[in-house]
Amino acid sequence: MDEALLRSLTPGVLGILVRRGADFAAAEDAVQDALVEAVRVWPEDPPRDAKGWLVTVAWRRFLDATRADTARRRREDLVEEEPAAGPASAVDDTLRLYFLCAHPSLTPSSAVALTLRAVGGLTTRQIARAYLVPEATMAQRISRAKRTVSGVRFDRPGDVATVLRVLYLVFNEGYSGDVDLAAEAIRLTRQLAARVDHPEVAGLLALMLLHHARRAARTGPDGSLVPLAEQDRSRWDTASIAEGVAILQAALARDRLGEFQAQAAVAALHADAPSAEDTDWVQIVEWYDELVRLTDNPVVRLNRAVAVGEADGPRAGLTALAALDDSLPRHTAAAAYLHERDGDLTTAARLYAVAAHKAPDLAERDHLTRQAARLNARLGR
């Protein structure tokens, strides 16, 4: 059973049903029923035209549901209009589905869930496991999202920026359960890049590839976090790095700089350095300056302060950090690191301990606690 094939065919089949007149929610339910039937039937009796088979079965499921719902006259009219059997339409509706699933009326969490289901072809159970929530909770979230977008008409181009935000959210979830969401986000972004000629789509794909290339080195054998400077760079995926850099260079050559391209440029400079000591921090600060100009994001300013501390010395980094709100996520951890670089181990140990209490997850908390313990041991405490 080729699960990857099923996932790749899902958006095209769904798009055909919607174009034939099915509302999104009913069409998506019918496609899911067809996928279940494919899993049951194909191992013993594989079709010659997989997409055509799915379209036929999904349309019949939709018609069955329509006939059972006599109160909806519009759907009843569609029963008489069933197209003749034959090859599936070659029209690609995938891009329309991207924009539909990332509709501004949806919350970010709902947009992510709907994208993974409708475009990614994942089951509700897989999505629920990936986000560590009960399947019933995820089913309700997806149902609400489908109802929200069912009546949406596309009479103007969709917002690429919104679609990219949704894919970035998927990527940042990383891996949990039985679905690798980082890999899934890369697959979907590749799919989008094949359909949209936009430098920021390329920038996001490059950023994902460059970050994902370091994944194997980010944790130790015991699952503990390994900071970038201490990672075994021989474990980095050089093929992904080369691809990401090539995609980024082509995007930057178009001279339409955006946030994801600038972030990818920072990641590329880290990936290009043979060792932490060889990192071009001056150029990284320049790219963070571009990011501040593009986004004025306080988290970007925080990352810039750390980069300034590397390029111009820890005192300069602490000065830049002092201008920011100390309630920012990881502000205390950044201050601890810069104080340690400056030789103030007592302050650094105290701040590492405080940062550990503020950590968003167990792995980061354990890492910061170990940092505090390491410095306290050096201080003889």
Side-chain angles (χ1 to χ4, degrees), residues 11 92-102 115 119-120 158-168 184-205 208 247 254 260:
D92 190 343
D93 295 288
T94 304
L95 185 58
R96 182 171 182 255
L97 293 179
Y98 270 100
F99 291 127
L100 189 65
C101 294
T115 298
V119 185
D159 182 8
V160 173
T162 303
V163 175
L164 294 182
R165 292 288 177 196
V166 170
L167 292 174
Y168 194 43
E184 185 64 18
I186 291 172
R187 183 182 75 84
L188 293 176
T189 306
R190 283 190 192 280
Q191 195 178 69
L192 181 63
R195 290 164 173 82
V196 177
D197 182 21
H198 193 295
E200 272 294 81
V201 177
L204 178 59
L205 179 56
M208 289 178 175
I247 292 171
R254 301 177 65 175
F260 290 118

Side-chain angles (χ1 to χ4, degrees), residues 9-360:
L9 293 175
T10 296
V13 176
L14 178 56
I16 289 173
L17 264 65
V18 171
R19 189 156 26 85
R20 285 182 177 180
D23 70 75
F24 182 87
E28 208 276 333
D29 286 341
V31 171
Q32 290 295 321
D33 287 343
L35 293 174
V36 171
E37 186 69 5
V39 170
R40 187 182 70 82
V41 172
W42 285 10
E44 299 296 330
D45 185 20
R48 283 181 292 181
D49 177 7
K51 185 176 180 182
W53 188 98
L54 286 171
V55 169
T56 299
V57 173
W59 186 253
R60 287 173 181 168
R61 291 290 191 276
F62 168 70
L63 293 182
D64 288 344
T66 298
R67 292 186 179 101
D69 190 4
T70 55
R72 299 186 179 183
R73 187 176 299 276
R74 185 182 69 84
R75 286 186 174 180
E76 283 294 327
D77 292 339
L78 291 173
V79 175
E80 307 302 325
E81 300 173 10
E82 180 176 4
S89 169
V91 177
D92 190 343
D93 295 288
T94 304
L95 185 58
R96 182 171 182 255
L97 293 179
Y98 270 100
F99 291 127
L100 189 65
C101 294
H103 195 268
S105 61
L106 295 174
T107 64
S109 60
S110 295
V112 165
L114 194 58
T115 298
L116 288 173
R117 167 101 176 217
V119 185
L122 301 184
T123 66
T124 302
R125 176 174 295 179
Q126 287 174 317
I127 301 170
R129 286 179 177 173
Y131 282 89
L132 305 179
V133 300
E135 185 176 352
T137 299
M138 185 57 68
Q140 291 175 349
R141 185 180 300 173
I142 292 172
S143 293
R144 286 195 298 269
K146 289 194 295 184
R147 287 196 298 271
T148 300
V149 302
S150 282
V152 172
R153 294 180 60 85
F154 275 90
D155 51 5
R156 58 186 176 84
D159 182 8
V160 173
T162 303
V163 175
L164 294 182
R165 292 288 177 196
V166 170
L167 292 174
Y168 194 43
L169 286 172
V170 175
F171 180 79
N172 284 332
E173 288 298 325
Y175 175 83
S176 58
D178 58 355
V179 177
D180 186 337
L181 289 181
E184 185 64 18
I186 291 172
R187 183 182 75 84
L188 293 176
T189 306
R190 283 190 192 280
Q191 195 178 69
L192 181 63
R195 290 164 173 82
V196 177
D197 182 21
H198 193 295
E200 272 294 81
V201 177
L204 178 59
L205 179 56
L207 177 63
M208 289 178 175
L209 289 168
L210 290 164
H211 278 315
H212 203 53
R214 303 199 301 261
R215 174 171 165 175
R218 285 201 185 101
T219 55
D222 60 352
S224 61
L225 292 181
V226 179
L228 177 60
E230 301 171 18
Q231 288 177 13
D232 178 359
R233 298 185 179 217
S234 68
R235 301 183 66 197
W236 290 2
D237 183 347
T238 54
S240 290
I241 290 173
E243 183 185 5
V245 169
I247 292 171
L248 173 63
Q249 289 174 336
L252 291 175
R254 301 177 65 175
D255 199 23
R256 290 169 56 195
L257 184 64
E259 175 185 355
F260 290 118
Q261 293 169 76
Q263 286 191 53
V266 172
L269 286 167
H270 283 300
D272 187 54
S275 68
E277 293 73 24
D278 295 318
T279 304
D280 189 346
W281 286 105
V282 172
Q283 196 173 164
I284 287 176
V285 171
E286 292 173 355
W287 278 112
Y288 274 125
D289 288 339
E290 291 288 349
L291 271 169
V292 168
R293 180 182 63 81
L294 289 166
T295 69
D296 197 26
N297 186 307
V299 175
V300 170
R301 290 183 179 275
L302 176 68
N303 292 333
R304 178 188 177 278
V306 175
V308 167
E310 299 287 0
D312 300 328
R315 295 285 176 90
L318 286 167
T319 299
L321 194 64
L324 304 177
D325 186 346
D326 62 9
S327 67
L328 280 172
R330 298 184 173 88
H331 184 287
T332 308
Y337 173 74
L338 290 170
H339 276 291
E340 180 182 358
R341 287 281 319 281
D342 195 38
D344 186 354
L345 303 189
T346 300
T347 300
R350 177 179 59 80
L351 290 175
Y352 275 131
V354 173
H357 287 290
K358 299 179 179 180

